[in-house]
Amino acid sequence: MDLYYHPLSRQSQKVLIALYEKQAYFYPHIINLADPYARRELQRIDASGHLPLLRIASGEVIPDASIIVEYLDANIEQGTQLIPALTEDALQVRLYDRLSDTRLDKVIDHWLLAKHQKMSNQIKVKQLENELLTTLDSLDRRLAKYHWLCGDSFSLADCATIPCLLTLETDFKLLDYEHLGRYWIQATLRGAVNQVQEEVALTLARTS
């Protein structure tokens, strides 16, 4: 398998965590979308030009982080089962995967953009921060009942949420939350997450 991704992309991190959890062998291809040549090369593989992309042995290209993780879990028996076999449990995992993408990932994008604009609208920044805080409070309450986001087992929902928390860790003081803080500590001690953190740190060091 070939993975086209960027280490600082949260959706890419989601897939990386899943690949490491599944103990999958893959060829990494880091794509810098700010580079016009790299972007054109990616569009030759998939016209959308979006990351991440997984190209499998048949040559088929699979887009979208959640679909990639679904494919990995269905086709690789080893490692962590990321989507439960029971339909009701699987629906909960998929629900929290989607909530992570819509209530955290996209809102984080808007928040980061608003923060870094030269003429930043502070009211808009505050509104987005309050929206993120509301979501974090909701996660903290949920994690009072569950070890991982959807029960006792690490799942697709955690693959989706952890990269978002990695972005928010410092500004939103995750360790100040009783249950979310515990969750964050146990997540960072997990091998797959630790590998992604190391790649993020290495990439930031190279670009600084």
Side-chain angles (χ1 to χ4, degrees), residues 1-200:
M1 297 184 295
D2 292 270
L3 179 68
Y4 300 87
Y5 74 106
H6 194 279
L8 301 185
S9 155
R10 290 186 300 278
Q11 290 294 304
S12 293
Q13 293 166 16
K14 174 177 174 176
V15 171
L16 284 172
I17 292 171
L19 283 162
Y20 295 142
E21 287 286 338
K22 298 301 293 183
Q23 302 170 26
Y25 183 78
F26 65 98
Y27 294 97
H29 302 272
I30 296 178
I31 304 295
N32 180 7
L33 292 178
D35 179 345
Y37 175 78
R39 192 164 59 248
R40 283 195 302 271
E41 288 299 303
L42 181 66
Q43 287 172 331
R44 290 179 183 176
I45 301 168
D46 184 80
S48 72
H50 293 156
L51 296 175
L53 290 173
L54 186 73
R55 184 160 59 184
I56 60 178
S58 66
E60 180 185 357
V61 174
I62 302 173
D64 185 84
S66 294
I67 300 301
I68 292 172
V69 178
E70 291 258 7
Y71 170 82
L72 295 172
D73 206 49
N75 289 277
I76 300 175
E77 292 184 0
Q78 65 196 31
T80 306
Q81 183 177 2
L82 298 171
I83 301 169
L86 292 175
T87 300
E88 184 177 346
D89 294 341
L91 285 174
Q92 277 293 299
V93 167
R94 290 187 176 97
L95 169 63
Y96 275 87
D97 168 59
R98 302 318 308 141
L99 291 177
S100 177
D101 281 358
T102 56
R103 292 187 184 177
L104 270 177
D105 193 68
K106 288 184 179 178
V107 179
I108 289 171
D109 280 340
H110 295 316
W111 171 66
L112 291 173
L113 180 62
K115 275 184 65 178
H116 290 104
Q117 285 176 335
K118 291 182 180 178
M119 299 295 291
S120 180
N121 183 336
Q122 293 303 314
I123 294 176
K124 181 64 174 177
V125 171
K126 193 65 178 177
Q127 287 173 338
L128 291 166
E129 287 178 349
N130 286 338
E131 188 173 347
L132 289 169
L133 285 168
T134 298
T135 303
L136 293 175
D137 286 339
S138 176
L139 289 175
D140 188 58
R141 290 193 299 274
R142 180 172 180 80
L143 288 163
K145 304 175 184 177
Y146 298 103
H147 185 67
W148 293 106
L149 202 55
C150 290
D152 292 334
S153 300
F154 192 91
S155 71
L156 164 63
D158 302 292
C159 293
T161 302
I162 287 168
C164 296
L165 297 181
L166 180 59
T167 302
L168 299 176
E169 177 184 13
T170 302
D171 287 339
F172 287 81
K173 299 180 180 178
L174 298 184
L175 294 181
D176 286 352
Y177 291 87
E178 180 180 359
H179 308 293
L180 184 59
R182 180 268 306 163
Y183 173 85
W184 180 240
I185 290 171
Q186 76 186 29
T188 57
L189 293 174
R190 198 169 180 94
V193 176
N194 195 251
Q195 283 181 266
V196 171
Q197 285 182 297
E198 288 178 359
E199 189 165 355
V200 168

